[in-house]
Amino acid sequence: MRDVETYVADALASLARNARRDFEFIVVDDGSVDRTGQIIEDFRDELPGLVVLRNETPVGLADARNQGVSLASGRYLTFMDGDDWLAPGYLADLVAAIEQLGCDFVRVDHVQAEGRRRVIHRAPPAVRGVVLKPREHILPLSSRTMVDYPYAWAGIYRRDLGGLLTFPGHLHTAEDRPWIWRLHRRAASFAVVSLAGVFYRRMVAGSLTQVGDARQLHFFDAFDLVFADLERDAEEEFAAKAARTFCALLVHHLELGDRFSPELRARFEARGAQALRRLPAGLLAEAGSLGPERDAVLRKLLEER
């Protein structure tokens, strides 16, 4: 977490309401310059087992998460952002779910919070409480699947998955995209359960989803990793799915282009056009249409760049 003084007390209070003697809480303060660090200290008595790591210089979300993972000693891991919060008892329910099912990881639903508005967002599979094979939930091509639900904080993971839980540290946004693809391609088992105890605070000023700075260009680097992994492992059966997801997200970013400066928008469009042209011949056709309006956005990008 970094510079979340407005929200961090809510986050930590929700952890206190979930505390258990066998739980550990690892907080990474990634170079905050506001009162975040002081507020964290105020919660030491309420959070037994609290471990705090402070970075003098920010390293970014991916590396901050990796630092937290490296300090963990428990059997299971979950994640939480500093501007979100948890329902009381949620962590105990999460642990009970993965222990009952005995799988590598469990994914859950979440609640999107925007002001006073609350909307439950469900993880894609309709099948709940059943152990599944992760690779079988990357496809089908044109449906929303588990690789389209990348939120690391919406789940719990066996710590012995090791490197599969490591995020690409050089990415400052979209780091969860190559992470979720790798997890579903290489882990052995997972399940989805109907828990919705994570409250994801949306439209927060200063969050990367709202800021239009150069870090947004890491979106392209993230998908370069996805495509490189698929090519290295000769998993052509997933390439069209990756291309379709990339194109849909590219259009989404272009539709939010007003947050970019003119110079950054030009760089983003140029990277987008280059990325589309680098895709293997025929892959875009195999990925299929995104619909007339979104297809038109992509055609215009290629024509102008």
Side-chain angles (χ1 to χ4, degrees), residues 100-104 127-133 188-192:
Q100 179 182 356
L101 291 161
C103 51
D104 284 342
V127 178
R128 301 291 169 116
V130 176
V131 177
L132 306 167
K133 294 181 179 179
S189 61
F190 87 111
V192 180

Side-chain angles (χ1 to χ4, degrees), residues 41 48 57 84 97 128 188 203 207 209-210 237 278 289 295 302:
E41 288 301 315
T57 302
D84 299 336
R128 301 291 169 116
M203 304 297 286
S207 72
T209 57
Q210 302 301 307
E237 69 269 30
R278 281 202 309 271
S289 172
D295 288 350
L302 287 170

Side-chain angles (χ1 to χ4, degrees), residues 163-242:
L164 292 185
L165 300 180
T166 301
F167 295 85
H170 62 288
L171 299 179
H172 288 270
T173 190
E175 75 292 328
D176 49 5
R177 294 291 173 172
W179 179 86
I180 196 67
W181 272 87
R182 185 173 63 242
L183 189 63
H184 272 270
R185 288 172 50 241
R186 298 183 182 173
S189 61
F190 87 111
V192 180
V193 298
S194 295
L195 284 176
V198 182
F199 288 77
Y200 164 58
R201 206 185 299 263
R202 194 167 176 270
M203 304 297 286
V204 173
S207 72
L208 277 175
T209 57
Q210 302 301 307
V211 175
D213 64 21
R215 288 174 291 181
Q216 298 295 342
L217 295 171
H218 288 189
F219 159 73
F220 298 106
D221 301 318
F223 271 90
D224 284 347
L225 287 176
V226 173
F227 288 119
D229 282 351
L230 293 177
E231 182 177 2
R232 183 192 63 239
D233 296 339
E235 294 188 326
E236 294 87 355
E237 69 269 30
F238 298 136
K241 174 67 175 180

Side-chain angles (χ1 to χ4, degrees), residues 74-77 103-105 157-165:
R75 183 178 300 173
Y76 308 112
L77 288 171
C103 51
D104 284 342
F105 64 98
Y157 315 87
R158 293 181 59 92
R159 190 168 63 86
D160 59 13
L161 286 172
L164 292 185
L165 300 180

Side-chain angles (χ1 to χ4, degrees), residues 77-147:
L77 288 171
T78 189
F79 301 92
M80 180 180 173
D81 290 346
D83 50 7
D84 299 336
W85 76 95
L86 306 180
Y90 165 72
L91 291 181
D93 290 341
L94 204 55
V95 170
I98 195 169
E99 291 196 329
Q100 179 182 356
L101 291 161
C103 51
D104 284 342
F105 64 98
V106 169
R107 304 302 309 282
V108 299
D109 307 324
H110 71 276
V111 182
Q112 183 172 290
E114 188 173 336
R116 295 187 177 184
R117 188 167 180 259
R118 305 286 185 266
V119 179
I120 294 179
H121 286 251
R122 288 173 57 83
V127 178
R128 301 291 169 116
V130 176
V131 177
L132 306 167
K133 294 181 179 179
R135 288 177 63 87
E136 294 179 359
H137 290 266
I138 295 174
L139 300 174
L141 176 69
S142 58
S143 298
R144 181 171 173 264
T145 70
M146 288 307 300
V147 293

